[in-house]
Amino acid sequence: MATYTNIESNASGRGLVSISGFDIQGAGNNLDQVTIKEINLGESLLTPGLQTAVVCQNSIYIPPGKDFDSFKNKAISFSLSCKDKGSLPVNQKIYRLDNREWLPTNVGQTEEFILHACDETQMEDARKLVSQSWKCSSPSRIAQEILGTCAGAKNMQIEQADNERDYIAENIHPFQVIAQQTNVALANGNDPSFLHFMTYGDDGGIHHFESLNKLCNGAIVETFVHGETGMAGEGNYDNQNSIISFSFPCDFDYLSDLLNGLEDGKNMNTLGIVNFTAKAFSQLGSSDMSCGGIGGFNYKQALSNQATAEDQDSCNLDVENHLLRRQARMSLLEKDKIALRMVVPWNPKLHAGVVIKFDWKNKHQPNPPVYGSGKYLILSMMHTIRLGGFSTTTIECVSTSVGQGEV
């Protein structure tokens, strides 16, 4: 059995994280003399999957005959817990073992390697292809059907998107189908900001098909404060709400906004629409022709069947509502737009897509708060559990104003 930080050794309540029930399906004595050095768990709004990496150290010669090939495509499970913070169970499939190297510091008796695991639905996505058509179906209905029947997802959070369209999946993978639905789905009838991503959950990975608008309007799950080290009860590691370190990578980038078609939070791209049935051409968005061009910012073209959908025995393609604005909206989630990055004590309540609050008080007077205080949406995060139980959660956030299409 692998050795790791167990519950009994962390009974002091110092905020250390315990690993319990670590197991690899059918591992047998291949886990003997294996020590769990570090575990990393990652989530992101921009990734429809979960990534788990377990760093192991192994006694090379004891016991003899170990065969790590037996770990391939086997279930790995464990649970992380901390007094007063809750727990986070993990149950995934191992798909890769890499970076196996000899550690010469103890006369060559130890090696280190990394086990990579993912959710079973990610493997199902790689195995399967979808070649199917839908008549006048909403993106949320298609997403739920594909995730449930093709990817085998058991846990889903699907936001309703009622704009019905004709759709053909041309022999592509299930997650590619979902990606195409995020491109056309509209929240509240006019908000083209849907995302497909995953989070860890109590009963396996959770697939989300939700809009930025909904996510940004969610309840605050945790409030963090700037606690100075050395001040009683503030900067201590076991203070769950005290930030260990933080930075503000990008407060604003006006030129980048312009290049993506945003000006003062408003979409300014240009869309040229052709309707062959109606023999009509129209233009939406920027009407700037001061330099002789057709519109301004970024120019897009699309076929439309607005007002002629019934004549074509079709549903409205609705490009007028989603195509023009989605590029600008999604640009607000680019890595160079991260507004707040911080490291906090390990917290299982934090997930990609939840709202947190940063409360930074002025030392000399409580109001107004220091610039940078406010609500943020977690774009991506990484749990890091280290040998001995000292563990952190690193989160990268964007402002909740992205839900309204603003920086």
Side-chain angles (χ1 to χ4, degrees), residues 224 243 245-251 337-343 356-358 372-380 395-399:
F224 295 97
I243 301 172
S245 64
F246 64 93
S247 62
F248 300 94
C250 178
D251 285 306
K337 298 289 179 54
I338 292 170
L340 171 64
R341 179 182 291 119
M342 62 182 183
V343 180
I356 58 100
K357 184 179 180 182
F358 180 26
S373 298
K375 295 198 301 181
Y376 292 88
L377 177 72
I378 297 181
L379 172 64
S380 61
I395 61 177
E396 295 182 330
C397 305
V398 292
S399 171

Side-chain angles (χ1 to χ4, degrees), residues 82-323:
C82 181
K83 184 179 180 182
D84 301 326
K85 292 185 180 179
S87 62
L88 181 64
V90 176
N91 192 335
Q92 298 186 330
K93 285 291 190 74
I94 297 173
Y95 69 89
R96 180 181 173 90
L97 187 154
D98 65 12
N99 289 317
R100 190 162 67 93
E101 58 182 349
W102 170 55
L103 301 179
T105 55
N106 59 350
V107 201
Q109 297 187 53
T110 305
E111 64 181 352
E112 185 170 292
F113 59 84
I114 304 175
L115 292 172
H116 298 271
C118 65
D119 192 78
E120 176 69 21
T121 57
Q122 293 169 251
M123 293 188 171
E124 289 298 302
D125 173 65
R127 292 186 180 109
K128 296 179 179 179
L129 293 170
V130 181
S131 183
Q132 190 175 343
S133 65
W134 285 263
K135 176 73 172 178
C136 290
S137 296
S138 67
S140 53
R141 174 194 162 191
I142 297 172
Q144 186 158 14
E145 181 179 333
I146 291 298
L147 286 173
T149 60
C150 294
K154 298 177 182 177
N155 304 307
M156 295 176 276
Q157 290 189 12
I158 307 291
E159 179 182 351
Q160 195 65 27
D162 293 325
N163 52 309
E164 296 183 339
R165 308 172 76 254
D166 294 342
Y167 173 68
I168 300 175
E170 298 177 334
N171 210 39
I172 56 179
H173 292 284
F175 286 4
Q176 290 176 301
V177 174
I178 309 303
Q180 292 183 353
Q181 297 313 303
T182 63
N183 285 335
V184 299
L186 297 174
N188 303 316
N190 62 4
D191 179 21
S193 64
F194 269 78
L195 301 165
H196 173 213
F197 63 100
M198 285 191 71
T199 58
Y200 291 90
D202 292 339
D203 189 25
I206 303 172
H207 281 271
H208 298 257
F209 183 78
E210 298 178 286
S211 68
L212 279 175
N213 184 273
K214 178 186 176 183
L215 297 175
C216 290
N217 285 293
I220 296 172
V221 300
E222 202 73 273
T223 297
F224 295 97
V225 297
H226 170 47
E228 293 192 17
T229 303
M231 296 182 68
E234 289 200 15
N236 297 333
Y237 168 69
D238 58 356
N239 181 354
Q240 179 174 335
N241 300 103
S242 182
I243 301 172
I244 297 173
S245 64
F246 64 93
S247 62
F248 300 94
C250 178
D251 285 306
F252 62 84
D253 185 341
Y254 193 66
L255 179 58
S256 180
D257 289 343
L258 293 177
L259 292 172
N260 281 292
L262 277 177
E263 185 166 27
D264 298 326
K266 297 179 181 179
N267 173 68
M268 299 297 292
N269 287 326
T270 305
L271 177 63
I273 301 171
V274 179
N275 188 325
F276 290 115
T277 302
K279 297 180 175 59
F281 175 86
S282 58
Q283 179 178 315
L284 299 177
S286 176
S287 58
D288 184 2
M289 301 184 68
S290 59
C291 288
I294 303 174
F297 294 81
N298 301 292
Y299 185 79
K300 295 177 176 291
Q301 289 180 299
L303 294 176
S304 172
N305 62 355
Q306 191 175 49
T308 62
E310 188 174 341
D311 296 335
Q312 296 171 264
D313 191 25
S314 175
C315 282
N316 189 3
L317 294 173
D318 213 21
V319 293
E320 294 82 2
N321 275 327
H322 65 82
L323 188 59

